[in-house]
Amino acid sequence: MLEARLYLLQRASAMLLVPLLLAHLVMILYAIEGGLSAAEILGRTRGNLLWAAFYGLFVTAVAMHAPIGLRNILREWTGWRGRSLDFATLGFGALLLGLGLRAVLAVTV
Amino acid sequence: MQDTADREEMLTVEIWRGREDGALQTYRVPRRESQTVLDVVTWVQRNEEPALAYRFACRVGMCGSCAMQVNGKPRWTCRTHVSRVAENGLLRIEPLANLPRIKDLATDMAPFFEKWQGARGRHEPTRTRHEPMAPVSSESPARKAANAGIECINCAVCYAACDVVGWDENYLGPAALNRAWTLANDERDADKAGLLQAVSQSGGCHSCHSHGSCVEHCPVGLNPTAGIAGLKRMTLAALMKGEL
């Protein structure tokens, strides 16, 4: 049952994103307020498996959550249905995952 | 005599005439005490517009056939008093939203009832008529949940009020899903798996946004949103157990 699976996946990824997003926001505030330079940030993230796992999980959850929501919006507001929409959703998810993991690799490797 | 006529309070009533490409037509209708919107429509049909098409049957809020849009909101017209809904003496009466129009105030209810079938809204018995009746405790949580939803009169007010029905023609809608919820909680129903599959299709219970318009407008005070949320929980539990 595709709809029930997508519903479950979107809720589960949302539950995962809540703490991850809060931690991410706190991190941004800490880095800005503390006046960390780009070099200092990279110094802490490069080679750090914990940050790689944290942001790897973050972008994976985003890549699952956002396309499912976008699929629903497109279905309701444009009338786009069927396999073509499913493939477009998958493509959007893959794009988000690719861009996200590329960014994660850039700051952790 | 002329003075009496001048003093008589009148309503300005706009009524939809025609099909999709029709128009509102204005009538002047005498205001009466305890007058319902259905009384107003009937007055127009009997005195001004004999060809006016509309539906009603019981006139006491049981049959669910007289629902119309009144000043933009879906209502059961036989139990809606003019005093509650008229805005500065004006009533605008249109056919129910989200359904094809047949003529004037009569809509084609077929899509609404087809969706009851789509949600597997029929009882699948566990016993034949030759076996004794199943004992069902009125105190069990499942029976209480079913009882909370079974007074639906099929008026389609919730269907007309639902935003998701307007956006997605496949969406089963609050009434059909509420019916499915009552069956899902009926221990005499033999095909729970089939029911959960029916409500998990595209346009099923997972499409509901929980806006609550159905709850807001249901004339008999049901809460289809709660039932749909219950179906979401039930389908997810079945999915995780590998039963869906």
Side-chain angles (χ1 to χ4, degrees), chain A residues 23-24 27-28 50-60 100-101 104 107:
Chain A
H24 176 61
M27 212 96 67
I28 291 171
L50 197 70
W51 284 127
F54 178 90
Y55 278 110
L57 195 62
F58 191 115
V59 297
T60 307
L101 289 178
V104 173
V107 295

Side-chain angles (χ1 to χ4, degrees), chain A residues 1 3-5 7-8 75-77 81, chain B residues 167-169 197 200 202 206 209 232 244:
Chain A
M1 290 271 105
E3 298 301 323
R5 286 204 176 90
Y7 181 87
L8 176 63
R75 270 160 52 127
E76 287 173 0
W77 287 81
R81 305 278 150 80
Chain B
W167 297 329
D168 182 355
E169 73 273 15
Q197 279 180 8
S200 296
S202 176
H206 305 101
H209 286 242
K232 288 175 181 172
L244 192 66

Side-chain angles (χ1 to χ4, degrees), chain A residues 63-83:
Chain A
M64 285 195 289
H65 186 82
I68 300 172
L70 185 68
R71 176 178 178 266
N72 288 339
I73 294 168
L74 287 171
R75 270 160 52 127
E76 287 173 0
W77 287 81
T78 69
W80 188 5
R81 305 278 150 80
R83 301 293 288 170

Side-chain angles (χ1 to χ4, degrees), chain B residues 167-189:
Chain B
W167 297 329
D168 182 355
E169 73 273 15
N170 292 326
Y171 180 49
L172 294 170
L177 290 169
N178 175 70
R179 169 67 178 159
W181 172 243
T182 63
L183 289 170
N185 282 290
D186 190 338
E187 57 192 271
R188 297 165 302 169
D189 195 89

Side-chain angles (χ1 to χ4, degrees), chain B residues 116-129:
Chain B
W116 277 57
Q117 294 296 322
R120 222 233 57 194
R122 65 194 172 276
H123 177 58
E124 297 289 346
T126 46
R127 300 184 182 198
T128 67
R129 66 181 63 198

